[in-house]
Amino acid sequence: MQLCVVIDVIFTHRLVVVLERRTLVHDLKTLELLRTLETPSNPKGCCALSTCFDPCLLALPSSSTSGTMRVYNAAITGSSVECEVTAHNSPVAVMAWNQDASLLASASNKGTVLRVHKMPQANKVYSFRRGSRPAPIHSLAFSPLDIQPPLLCATSGHGTVHIFRLEQPDRHPAASAAVGFLCSVMPPRLTDVVEPPRCIATIKLPGRGVPAICAVQSVSSQQNGGGTTDSSLADDLNANAGGGMGIINVMVATAEGLFYEYHVQDLKAPQGPTCTLEGESYLLAQKI
């Protein structure tokens, strides 16, 4: 008998149910079982289903001992494997798609390095170092497509939210050539040593370091009630128009039922962005 771990994701067309050694894909309208995928032991229900339907991609761990992932086409009923991604040395703990399913982010159970692969070639395009000490990564979230360059947020077991910018570092051509040469001759597990950290901001959550999930939202003038704003906020909102990088919202929900909303401003500032707690509320009837 298999343990039902989680009903992981429900979107417009698909319902995915993750069991310990199987994953079931249902049609959401009819609840018809479309396919059953046999998987390695997956006691935490790790998976990621894209929010779009074209393509409708489902990512699952393909090993319980190494950091490999298998990507399936969930739009069809057959067992269609799109690609297999070798992302980490340790087992994968969390995954997330961006809005158009062109990027797949992942973290292992060590939580020190985050990687982003581009689909459908499954090429590694970004690698970020969260920290030197292991920590569980509870969630990953991409920014909306209108934010350029894109952002990736991660919540860790240390009670922190890390924000990374998805862009190549501005290196001197000679330095870029040196990094490329080192990465070509070094073992894959060591290539991240020559890549600098990409964390542009860290948010320390109030209270204990409990599991949390996060989301990123772009800010528009409509979200401010259509009224007047002060000049600095108006400038930031104008910068956001057309995919600018003035101000974003980072929303965090914790396992204790707490909801935090942060405004993150000046994302392109040389000294780094500023993060301000704008709201706090309880999602449960009582505080735990």
Side-chain angles (χ1 to χ4, degrees):
M1 180 177 180
Q2 296 196 57
L3 169 68
C4 183
V5 178
V6 62
I7 299 179
D8 190 77
V9 276
I10 304 175
F11 290 126
T12 306
H13 300 279
R14 294 293 179 263
L15 164 67
V16 174
V17 180
V18 180
L19 308 179
E20 188 176 4
R21 293 185 179 273
R22 287 188 301 165
T23 297
L24 312 178
V25 182
H26 295 261
D27 182 278
L28 186 56
K29 294 182 179 179
T30 65
L31 297 185
E32 175 188 0
L33 177 62
L34 300 179
R35 61 201 302 186
T36 300
L37 302 170
E38 301 295 330
T39 65
S41 179
N42 187 13
K44 293 186 177 181
C46 178
C47 81
L49 179 66
S50 63
T51 58
C52 57
F53 190 70
D54 185 18
C56 183
L57 301 178
L58 172 65
L60 292 165
S62 58
S63 172
S64 59
T65 58
S66 65
T68 57
M69 304 174 288
R70 192 165 290 164
V71 178
Y72 299 88
N73 185 344
I76 62 177
T77 57
S79 180
S80 175
V81 178
E82 295 293 301
C83 61
E84 187 157 310
V85 183
T86 301
H88 307 273
N89 294 322
S90 302
V92 175
V94 62
M95 300 176 283
W97 292 100
N98 69 339
Q99 283 186 334
D100 64 0
S102 62
L103 298 174
L104 176 62
S106 63
S108 74
N109 57 13
K110 288 185 177 180
T112 53
V113 174
L114 284 61
R115 293 194 174 98
V116 179
H117 288 79
K118 186 173 180 59
M119 298 295 133
Q121 299 85 3
N123 297 329
K124 185 183 77 171
V125 287
Y126 304 103
S127 184
F128 307 119
R129 180 163 293 279
R130 179 209 54 81
S132 56
R133 293 187 301 159
I137 302 298
H138 297 300
S139 74
L140 298 170
F142 284 95
S143 60
L145 296 178
D146 63 340
I147 296 178
Q148 294 297 327
L151 302 173
L152 175 66
C153 284
T155 58
S156 81
H158 291 165
T160 53
V161 180
H162 303 267
I163 304 174
F164 303 90
R165 182 183 293 132
L166 275 64
E167 65 179 2
Q168 298 300 330
D170 185 15
R171 293 193 181 105
H172 188 277
S176 297
V179 169
F181 173 75
L182 288 174
C183 290
S184 67
V185 299
M186 295 173 67
R189 66 181 182 275
L190 298 179
T191 56
D192 292 311
V193 174
V194 300
E195 298 186 31
R198 305 280 181 84
C199 178
I200 62 170
T202 300
I203 298 171
K204 178 62 178 177
L205 299 176
R208 300 175 297 172
V210 298
I213 59 175
C214 63
V216 184
Q217 181 184 50
S218 55
V219 176
S220 65
S221 57
Q222 286 75 17
Q223 289 176 281
N224 290 274
T228 60
T229 61
D230 60 52
S231 59
S232 61
L233 180 56
D235 290 342
D236 284 329
L237 293 174
N238 290 333
N240 242 38
M245 292 290 290
I247 179 172
I248 62 168
N249 283 344
V250 174
M251 296 162 289
V252 183
T254 74
E256 292 181 327
L258 291 166
F259 178 83
Y260 301 106
E261 181 177 352
Y262 290 87
H263 279 191
V264 184
Q265 303 183 60
D266 303 322
L267 289 165
K268 286 188 173 181
Q271 70 275 16
T274 58
C275 305
T276 307
L277 178 61
E278 293 293 326
E280 177 181 351
S281 57
Y282 299 120
L283 302 178
L284 306 177
Q286 300 182 321
K287 184 178 179 181
I288 297 177

